[in-house]
Each structure stands twice: as C-alpha cells, then as structure tokens.
Amino acid sequence: MTTIKTTCIRCGGINLTPADVSLELRPGLREGDYRFRCPTCAEPQRRPANPRVVGVLLATGVIFEVVNPDPITEMEIAAFATALEAEPDPLRLLAG
Ligand SMILES: [Zn+2]
C-alpha cells in the first residue's frame, strides 16, 4: 500500500495511508490544503498543498473536495437584499 510521509506537530515523522488523508482544492487551482489525523496521537492537522503535493496525493488515490475559500456571507446577502429593496425599479438592475 502507498505510504504518505508527513510530519505531526507532536510526534514528528509519521506515515499515513491515502485513506487517512483528505484534500481540499481551491476552485480552478491545483493547490489547496490537505487534512489528516495523526495515527499516533489522533491530533487533526491541516497542511498547505502546493501543485506538486496535490499531484502526488491525487496519484496515491487520496479523496478530494473542491472548496470555495470565500463563501458569500450572511452580511453580503443582507446587503444585497437591502440594495434590492432600496431600488424602486429592480428590473433596472438587471438591464444593467
Ligand atoms: Zn501525532
């Protein structure tokens, strides 16, 4: 089985299997973060993954998900709703 070598903040060098790791990718980019739980101390950890690391992890069969680092916040939705209500003719906004 493929072994992924990384380091734990408590234990130092550790070996993981692809099943221990999950990868978070940025939309449209070949980089992101990978997460794992140390098999020795069970500490959950997160590390940045550059495109080379991403390629290695994907090649070993690590599962991945695409995450949006800047989700729309409640405040932005509220501000948008307020702007719509303040606009006497909302269709004019669509006409741009
Ligand atoms: Zn550890």
Side-chain angles (χ1 to χ4, degrees):
M1 177 177 281
T2 308
T3 299
I4 299 167
K5 296 182 191 304
T6 188
T7 54
C8 169
I9 52 174
R10 291 184 184 173
C11 312
I14 55 173
N15 294 327
L16 301 171
T17 67
D20 296 325
V21 181
S22 62
L23 185 59
E24 292 181 354
L25 294 176
R26 304 280 176 265
L29 295 175
R30 281 184 63 83
E31 60 182 44
D33 295 309
Y34 66 99
R35 292 175 298 164
F36 60 93
R37 186 179 291 273
C38 174
T40 305
C41 69
E43 179 79 13
Q45 287 163 75
R46 171 189 292 270
R47 294 290 155 72
N50 61 34
R52 185 171 161 275
V53 171
V54 168
V56 170
L57 292 176
L58 290 177
T60 63
V62 166
I63 58 165
F64 70 96
E65 58 182 323
V66 177
V67 296
N68 186 345
D70 298 309
I72 295 173
T73 65
E74 297 273 330
M75 278 181 59
E76 285 170 330
I77 294 171
F80 181 67
T82 301
L84 275 183
E85 287 166 8
E87 173 57 52
D89 183 6
L91 291 179
R92 194 168 63 83
L93 295 176
L94 295 176

